[in-house]
Each structure stands twice: as structure tokens, then as C-alpha cells.
Amino acid sequence: MTTNTSLPNPTPRHSRPAFPSYQQLPIIDLSAADRGPQARALLHAQLHSAAHDVGFFQLTGHGVTDAETRALLDAVHRFFALPEADRLALDNTGSPHFRGYTRTGDERTGGSRDWRDQLDIGAERPARAPGPGEPAYWWLEGPNQWPAALPELRTAALAWIDRLSAVAERLLRELLTAIGAPAGFYDPVFGDHAHPHLKLVRYPGSASDGAGQGVGAHKDYGFLTLLLQDRVGGLQVQRADGLFHDVPPLPGAFVVNLGELLEVATDGYLLATNHRVVSPPGATERFSVPFFYNPRLDARVEPLPFPHASAAPGVTDDPANPLFAEYGFNELKGKLRAHPLAAARHHAELLTPA
């Protein structure tokens, strides 16, 4: 089913087929890279088209096993089945690093509440407070909060970060190759000090007031997002017609979308695309696990040299969402907006006066 939206119909920025199908995203089989030159060339053509025309695709052939996925999802379900007091003990308002649990309705997208609760997890590092003259984004480095009653969650979540970082690294290199760029051009901005981010998310059903925003329309601000979603559905992607279309779950696949850093790096040739989640009906629960492949906080993302640069249409201009040269400022901006309670408690000096 396709759900229309009241958003204006933008002018498409790229030429597209006359009769595009919106029933499913493009499906990319990453394992084709290992099946010889012809299969890899086809993979690159498909990847190029999906990243340039849509900004979203379903990724199969990624090598993550069913057993690895089950281990993570089992831990996720056990976490949300914990008593509320156990989850609230990890409230992210207690973390100046924006790590921990956010209760339903406390996160904001586009200024409106998101009807979901979640646990935010990043690379496990010592707490860091910026020193004199250091950028405020160093607050984003620090320890995670873990439930004492569920020690296996820490093991499963950190293993997932490592596993998907490897998948995303390989995917990024194939994507850059697909558009004729040096495969390892962005390797230096990742490495041991990359800033991955994992969310464990539950959508508990529809809000009592009838609001349907599971999470509001937005773009991600890193390089790549790999989403594990269950079979309930609710993810919608804005396509070339300006409308939001459902993304049917595909068993065994990750939904991949490009972040704003890749759009900026290619001057708009690669797309960061608006997407949202509509709350499931009634009391139906939906679980998802988005993984965000992000560079170092202090990374400056240089323009990508590639042969299609002359065809780039320019970056989307959004005065309400300025993009900064250093990645950390972009993530800090997002955290301050999305988590107003934690921001007000720990970083009131960074908030813009109303």
C-alpha cells in the first residue's frame, strides 16, 4: 500500500524512468562482488543507479547470518520486556553523551514527538569532556548505559556494531567504485576512532491522541545507515513523485540509505533521501535496529573526485538544517534537537535561545 502525504511535490533532480515502480526499493546483492568481473560490473551498475536515483535500497548477500541476527533480536526483545524501572534506570537524561534509554515520546523529529522508545548505543569509550578551546562535539564520546539484569545485551550490541561496520565499509568501497571514485578515498576518516551509532527501537503502536508519527520525516547525517526491520512494516521513503511510499520488509535484507555526508561529498550526485516511520495500528509493536556508519567526530569530509561530478545538481538547500565541515558538529546539532531533555540538563549553554 502507498500512503500519500501533504508535503509539496518537489521537482525531480535526476532523470528517471517514465514509469517507475514504487512497490519495492532496488535490491542489491553485495555478494555479486565475489562472483567475477561480469557479476561485479552488474552490481556496480545497480548500485550506481540506486544511490544516484533513489538514495535507498535493500541489501542482500551481506554475509550476516541468521544466527547473528537472531542473537541480536532476542536481546532486543528481552530488553524491552524488562520492567520499566530497569529501563528508566538507563534514562539518557543521565548521560552527557546522549547514551541510554529514551522513553516513548521524549525524542523529537522536526519539532514533534516520536512515538517510540529506544536505547542509544555507540562505541564503548571513556567519558570525554571537551577541554578549553576544544569543540563541544567531544561530549558525544563516552560510555554506554547497560541493564544490569541483561548482560548479554552488551555482548550482542557491541558485536553487531563491529559486524555491521565491516559490512558498511565494504559497501562504501563498492559504492565509490561504482561511480568511478577511488574505493578507499574515505578510509582515513573512519578507522579506530570512527563514531558508529546503534539504536534499539520499539514502536509500541499508535499514540492515544491518534498521532501517527513513529518517527518524523528526516535525512540521516552520516555516510550510510543499515536498518534491520521486523515484518510489521511502517518505514516509508519519499520517492521522485514527492510522496512517501511503504518499504515492504524483505526477510534477510538490510534497508540501506545514504546520509547527508555522501550527498555533500558528491555535490548532490548521490542522494540523501527523506524517510519516516508511521506508527503501527492499535497496540501492535514494531521493532527495528538502525545502524549508522559514521566517521570520526573531527573528520572533515573532502569532496569526492569522480567522473560524474559535472552532472551533480548541487546539495539540497535547507536553511533549517545547515551542514558543517566537521562531522561532529552535525551529529551534535542533531542530538541537541532530538533529545531536548538531556540537552537542557547537560548542555544548556549549547542551546539556541528561543
Side-chain angles (χ1 to χ4, degrees), residues 192-205:
D192 292 340
H193 295 285
H195 193 73
H197 179 204
L198 183 68
K199 284 178 179 280
L200 314 182
V201 183
R202 173 178 61 179
Y203 298 88

Side-chain angles (χ1 to χ4, degrees), residues 98 107-108 221 321 328-339:
F98 296 95
E107 188 176 23
R108 300 287 189 271
Y221 36 74
N321 182 36
F329 285 119
N330 295 302
E331 179 153 337
L332 180 62
K333 173 194 63 180
K335 290 290 194 294
L336 294 173
R337 289 180 176 181
H339 298 282

Side-chain angles (χ1 to χ4, degrees), residues 4-354:
N4 290 352
T5 174
S6 59
L7 287 178
N9 189 353
T11 300
R13 298 192 297 164
H14 308 296
S15 60
R16 291 178 169 87
F19 301 101
S21 172
Y22 296 142
Q23 297 303 307
Q24 180 56 279
L25 296 174
I27 299 173
I28 304 295
D29 180 1
L30 188 57
S31 69
D34 300 323
R35 294 202 294 270
Q38 186 174 357
R40 191 168 185 231
L42 178 59
L43 164 68
H44 288 162
Q46 294 170 333
L47 192 53
H48 187 159
S49 175
H52 175 57
D53 293 331
V54 186
F56 263 85
F57 51 90
Q58 299 265 24
L59 185 71
T60 64
H62 42 69
V64 178
T65 66
D66 289 343
E68 290 173 305
T69 302
R70 283 196 302 270
L72 177 74
L73 290 178
D74 181 62
V76 170
H77 283 265
R78 289 187 181 195
F79 172 73
F80 287 107
L82 290 174
E84 184 180 41
D86 288 6
R87 285 179 277 121
L88 290 177
L90 314 179
D91 198 309
N92 80 336
T93 59
S95 169
H97 318 292
F98 296 95
R99 306 292 178 87
Y101 177 70
T102 304
R103 71 187 80 194
T104 303
D106 276 1
E107 188 176 23
R108 300 287 189 271
T109 301
S112 299
R113 69 179 186 179
D114 295 327
W115 200 245
R116 63 180 184 176
D117 59 342
Q118 65 189 35
L119 186 69
D120 281 280
I121 301 165
E124 190 70 77
R125 293 184 180 136
R128 178 165 181 178
E134 288 189 320
Y137 57 64
W138 289 119
W139 279 114
L140 299 175
E141 279 203 350
N144 296 297
Q145 297 194 74
W146 303 107
L150 194 63
E152 62 266 33
L153 180 65
R154 184 183 192 277
T155 301
L158 294 181
W160 194 255
I161 287 175
D162 289 343
R163 190 72 175 88
L164 263 64
S165 291
V167 174
E169 178 184 10
R170 183 184 187 201
L171 175 60
L172 179 60
R173 293 176 66 90
E174 295 294 345
L175 173 57
L176 297 187
T177 301
I179 64 170
F185 186 78
Y186 289 120
D187 287 357
V189 303
F190 287 93
D192 292 340
H193 295 285
H195 193 73
H197 179 204
L198 183 68
K199 284 178 179 280
L200 314 182
V201 183
R202 173 178 61 179
Y203 298 88
S206 298
S208 58
D209 61 5
Q213 177 169 306
V215 60
H218 66 285
K219 299 177 181 180
D220 297 340
Y221 36 74
F223 268 77
L224 294 169
T225 302
L226 280 68
L227 172 71
L228 175 65
Q229 62 170 343
D230 65 12
R231 298 186 180 184
V232 172
L235 174 65
Q236 297 182 337
V237 172
Q238 192 174 29
R239 303 297 294 268
D241 60 1
L243 306 180
F244 281 83
H245 295 265
D246 291 326
V247 177
L250 184 65
F254 293 116
V255 181
V256 176
N257 64 280
L258 279 60
E260 290 173 321
L261 287 182
L262 277 174
E263 179 171 320
V264 170
T266 60
D267 197 29
Y269 188 81
L270 299 182
L271 286 179
T273 303
N274 271 319
H275 53 287
R276 68 186 186 187
V277 174
V278 175
S279 293
T284 302
E285 289 185 319
R286 175 182 186 264
F287 296 88
S288 69
V289 184
F291 168 78
F292 305 91
Y293 187 57
N294 302 324
R296 301 191 325 262
L297 290 171
D298 61 349
R300 286 180 171 268
V301 179
E302 300 295 331
L304 184 68
F306 69 111
H308 306 284
S310 61
V315 176
T316 304
D317 183 22
D318 183 357
N321 182 36
L323 297 175
F324 302 98
E326 289 180 59
Y327 169 69
F329 285 119
N330 295 302
E331 179 153 337
L332 180 62
K333 173 194 63 180
K335 290 290 194 294
L336 294 173
R337 289 180 176 181
H339 298 282
L341 299 179
R345 179 172 180 181
H346 298 285
H347 306 295
E349 75 283 359
L350 301 178
L351 299 177
T352 301

